[in-house]
Amino acid sequence: MSLVLHVDAGPWRAHQDLVVSGHQGIVPVAKGNGYGFGLGRLAAEATRMGLDLMAVGTAEEVPALRAAVAGQPGFQGDVVVLTPWRPDDPVADQVLHDPQVITTLSRVADVAAVARAHPGARVILEVLTSMSRYGMRPDEFAEAVAAAGPLEIVGWTIHLPMIGEHLGEATDLATAALAAHRAPLWVSHLSAGDLDRFRRTFDVPVRPRIGTELWLGAHGAMRYLASVQDVHEVTAGQQVGYWQRRAGRRHHHLAVVSGGTANGVAMQAPTAAATLRQVVQTLANGAMEAGRLALSPYSAGGHKLLFAEPPHMQASLLWVPSSVHVGDELEVTMRATTATPDQVILD
Ligand SMILES: *Cc1c(COP(=O)(O)O)cnc(C)c1O
């Protein structure tokens, strides 16, 4: 028994099909933990939809798309590596030999180095946006194109922030890029309306890269369930767990449930604290933890349960009401980008 991601396959796939049909030239993004589904599963879905191209985060992730999963062949199409190439990375160098891999380049010096070592490689050139992450400035575009010489430039890439209005910025950058070299425009995080306007502005193909909306947009189609492995009756003051904490007066039942740090249980990212509600929530959680009480992501009967101690590698100890029994399945709230379920089951 384990921590299982149950996927309601019908609605999940119907949503994917809808997103794909609504975005001409879509580049499905599969990286990291595969948004909770695993990279192989996402590759199988892209294959199911007949897509000819996917994006991964790193060169290390390319083989995971190629591997067969659940009896289905791996992804056969082109794979774009989103993290820009850097010198002295043997894995990134290795995939440059693969004619079905497209490498991202974000510095003029790297364009020149790849052109020397791997003439004929397929690349996209990254443009620096207000993200201030990777990319070249407009005054470097012509130099980058000249340095690319023997490389096949399959596009320019523009990666925008999640919030704010960025159509103007994207349009300016694309205009400068196309003046240096005509190639398709690969964009991330333009809203649907902006994407429409962007497409109408330029007469080269536009390829929107989408992960979250594609894989996680079918709200309600995904459920994480953990099984209750054991329940122990405890007396007030009894010490339990690795940390031998004492049971509180209202804690009569200790449950051992599947799921722990290895699965990403209770993994939190620092919040952007964008709303007052998030700030208050962060403060409340901090206060609870200072009192050695921590709300777990497991729930029973619609109520979140308390951790008896921090989660273990593959199990967690929880205080539960008497209604919880061995064999029960508890709902777990997981963050999709840090969840590594033991199994993914398509129902
Ligand atoms: C991860 C990533 C995406 C996908 O982002 P979502 O918000 O999950 O759709 C798109 N573009 C780039 C460059 C990325 O790294």
Side-chain angles (χ1 to χ4, degrees), residues 11 25 62 79 94 103 118 121 126 135-136 153 174 178 190 214 217 240 244 269 290 302-303 316-317 324:
V62 175
V79 178
Q94 181 68 35
T103 295
H118 302 273
E126 181 145 17
M136 293 174 278
I153 302 174
L178 295 184
L190 270 186
L214 176 64
V240 302
Q244 292 289 284
H303 295 285
S316 294
L317 300 185
V324 170

Side-chain angles (χ1 to χ4, degrees), residues 51-328:
L51 297 171
D52 59 351
L53 187 111
M54 294 187 79
V56 290
T58 64
E60 282 82 355
E61 292 170 340
V62 175
L65 293 196
R66 301 283 188 221
V69 81
Q72 295 167 39
F75 186 68
Q76 306 291 312
D78 287 344
V79 178
V80 184
V81 179
L82 295 173
T83 302
W85 180 91
R86 287 290 184 268
D88 305 318
D89 179 340
V91 182
D93 275 337
Q94 181 68 35
V95 300
L96 275 166
H97 293 289
D98 184 338
Q100 282 203 287
V101 169
I102 298 167
T103 295
T104 301
L105 298 174
S106 69
R107 302 187 303 187
V108 175
D110 295 341
V111 177
V114 170
R116 270 195 308 277
H118 302 273
R122 299 165 73 203
V123 300
I124 48 180
L125 303 182
E126 181 145 17
V127 159
L128 187 67
T129 70
S130 52
M131 286 274 284
S132 292
R133 222 168 79 145
Y134 305 119
M136 293 174 278
R137 296 183 314 269
D139 61 290
E140 298 174 298
F141 293 172
E143 201 186 339
V145 170
L151 301 174
E152 184 188 342
I153 302 174
V154 301
W156 293 97
T157 157
I158 304 175
H159 188 192
L160 297 159
M162 301 262 198
I163 62 161
E165 215 293 299
H166 298 286
L167 179 61
E169 175 186 0
T171 303
D172 290 348
L173 288 170
T175 303
L178 295 184
H181 180 79
R182 284 178 58 75
L185 297 166
W186 303 55
V187 295
S188 307
H189 301 137
L190 270 186
S191 69
D194 283 355
L195 194 56
D196 239 23
R197 260 162 271 153
F198 191 76
R199 281 185 201 280
R200 278 187 265 121
T201 306
F202 300 102
D203 60 356
V204 296
V206 172
R207 309 216 59 170
R209 290 173 298 200
I210 302 178
T212 303
E213 182 197 353
L214 176 64
W215 308 121
L216 298 172
H219 302 287
M222 284 80 71
R223 289 214 304 167
Y224 288 91
L225 294 179
S227 51
V228 177
Q229 313 274 30
D230 245 326
V231 179
H232 304 288
E233 288 195 24
V234 297
T235 52
Q238 184 178 332
Q239 290 178 294
V240 302
Y242 282 130
W243 304 103
Q244 292 289 284
R245 287 188 184 169
R246 291 183 188 281
R249 250 183 302 163
R250 287 184 300 148
H251 298 148
H252 307 300
H253 301 275
L254 180 74
V256 186
V257 301
S258 56
T261 52
N263 304 103
V265 164
M267 287 286 287
Q268 273 185 328
T271 73
T275 64
L276 181 62
R277 186 160 175 270
Q278 285 173 330
V279 173
V280 170
Q281 191 64 54
T282 305
L283 290 172
N285 288 347
M288 266 184 82
E289 283 176 34
R292 292 181 158 200
L293 287 174
L295 213 50
S296 82
Y298 297 86
S299 48
H303 295 285
K304 284 266 159 57
L305 301 165
L306 289 173
F307 276 124
E309 69 176 9
H312 306 167
M313 185 78 96
Q314 292 170 314
S316 294
L317 300 185
L318 307 175
W319 298 117
V320 296
S322 56
S323 54
V324 170
H325 302 287
V326 173
D328 286 357

